[in-house]
Amino acid sequence: MLKKFFELLKKGDFKDLLIEPTEDGFLQFFRYIFVGGASFVTDYVLLHIITETGIHYLVSGAVSFIAGLCVNYALSKLLVFSGKTTGAEKAKEFSVFAIIAVLGLGLTELLMWVFTEKLGWYYMISKAIAAIIVLFWNFFMKKILLYRKK
């Protein structure tokens, strides 16, 4: 598992490392970190912008999370989890993806509330810590429920 990763890295084979379809769990997680990063940047920047307009941080957190979810879904399909889906399959897949994300959103909101309201942390720090925790939740739930080998 790690051997393949380091071989690709050593060769500088970024196409196989980041783009070509793979069933290698470590490569998928490695890619998911990049996907999660892009989703997080979308989510984090929107959270700050919306909150600074006067909207409560938990409300803006939900809105920004949904934007990050859309980025995450598109990039996950493109770069992380291979497999083509069409029509009803795609609708079912997105529904499960969204359910996992909504549960992740609930966890994010709970963690942000605890960190901000109970521990007194700045809401943007709370968001960053919550995002790291929820990254693992999202990856493993998607891997187990959506994209496991049949």
Side-chain angles (χ1 to χ4, degrees):
M1 185 158 57
L2 284 174
K3 183 179 178 183
K4 181 179 180 180
F5 171 77
F6 285 113
E7 285 174 4
L8 293 171
L9 196 58
K10 184 178 176 182
K11 289 190 309 188
D13 189 348
F14 295 104
K15 185 176 180 187
D16 280 344
L17 192 62
L18 297 170
I19 297 170
E20 289 298 319
T22 183
E23 293 299 322
D24 183 293
F26 185 81
L27 278 178
Q28 287 177 329
F29 186 71
F30 176 75
R31 291 174 183 184
Y32 192 75
I33 290 172
F34 285 100
V35 167
S39 304
F40 176 75
V41 167
T42 301
D43 185 349
Y44 199 74
V45 168
L46 284 175
L47 170 67
H48 183 69
I49 291 169
I50 296 168
T51 302
E52 293 305 311
T53 67
I55 306 295
H56 190 274
Y57 74 92
L58 291 176
V59 174
S60 58
V63 172
S64 65
F65 187 93
I66 291 167
L69 164 69
C70 294
V71 169
N72 191 285
Y73 179 74
L75 291 177
S76 288
K77 287 294 294 174
L78 185 65
L79 301 175
V80 181
F81 301 110
S82 59
K84 306 281 188 249
T85 53
T86 57
E89 265 186 343
K90 191 173 280 190
K92 179 182 174 190
E93 177 184 81
F94 186 78
S95 296
V96 173
F97 193 96
I99 289 168
I100 292 167
V102 166
L103 293 172
L105 171 60
L107 182 56
T108 299
E109 294 281 295
L110 175 64
L111 291 170
M112 284 184 67
W113 179 80
V114 168
F115 296 155
T116 304
E117 299 297 326
K118 298 299 181 190
L119 299 179
W121 296 358
Y122 180 56
Y123 75 94
M124 296 297 285
I125 299 294
S126 299
K127 176 63 173 190
I129 302 300
I132 292 167
I133 294 166
V134 173
L135 171 120
F136 288 97
W137 156 265
N138 284 335
F139 176 79
F140 289 111
M141 288 299 104
K142 290 169 188 169
K143 180 82 172 151
I144 292 166
L145 298 176
L146 276 178
Y147 304 113
R148 68 181 177 272
K149 275 189 166 182
K150 300 209 174 15

